[in-house]
Amino acid sequence: MGIGARVLAVAEGWVGTPYRHQASEKGVGADCLGLIRGIWRELYGQEPEAVPPYGADWAERSGEERLLAAAARHFQGVAGLAEADAGDVLVFRFRPQHAAKHLGILLEGGQFLHAYEQAAVIRSALVPSWQRRVVGVFRFPEM
């Protein structure tokens, strides 16, 4: 089984996990980064680096591309959405003047999985309004 299929199998178990800022515990709570961290732990056993505390507005205040930089350190870059496969990590930027601050997992059938604020880990359609916000695509490393 390839890495994409393994990611999808693990990710499905997170559906319905309540949204909790800075959390990363399946069934208990997760934000978008926590979802990716939890999937990583299930695949590899431990996280590649410690994540410092962060506020909900960290990307607006710092302006640093922390998510893109961390993704580049630990994942394989993919040329873009057209080259993406199910199981890849999508990085989103909500506003052009701010740093990227949202993550999801590409699913089959034009959907993605993400921790949606004020809700839970859900499947959403990757409609054009989401597609144009994708600023990075990354693949989990082979084990």
Side-chain angles (χ1 to χ4, degrees):
M1 179 184 309
I3 190 62
R6 290 193 301 272
V7 169
L8 293 176
V10 169
E12 283 298 321
W14 285 78
V15 173
T17 296
Y19 182 90
R20 298 284 182 268
H21 179 67
Q22 292 190 22
S24 182
E25 188 71 33
K26 182 169 44 175
V28 176
D31 62 9
C32 65
L33 177 58
L35 171 65
I36 305 303
R37 292 171 51 212
I39 292 169
W40 182 285
R41 284 193 312 270
E42 287 190 55
L43 291 171
Y44 307 109
Q46 63 182 19
E47 295 181 43
E49 65 182 65
V51 177
Y54 52 92
D57 65 345
W58 66 269
E60 291 83 0
R61 288 185 295 118
S62 75
E64 296 174 47
E65 291 289 359
R66 291 194 269 173
L67 284 182
L68 285 171
R73 282 194 303 273
H74 303 293
F75 296 85
Q76 174 189 350
V78 175
L81 197 50
E83 304 299 320
D85 292 329
D88 287 348
V89 176
L90 305 176
V91 182
F92 299 89
R93 181 187 322 277
F94 291 128
R95 296 186 177 167
Q97 70 272 28
H98 294 210
K101 70 176 285 183
H102 191 60
L103 302 163
I105 300 290
L106 183 63
L107 302 174
E108 295 171 339
Q111 294 189 317
F112 72 108
L113 188 74
H114 61 136
Y116 199 71
E117 193 170 354
Q118 312 257 336
V121 175
I122 62 170
R123 291 176 198 86
S124 292
L126 191 58
V127 295
S129 61
W130 278 110
Q131 289 176 24
R132 70 175 161 264
R133 289 179 169 87
V134 174
V135 294
V137 179
F138 297 88
R139 190 158 293 143
F140 279 82
E142 287 292 338
M143 299 161 81

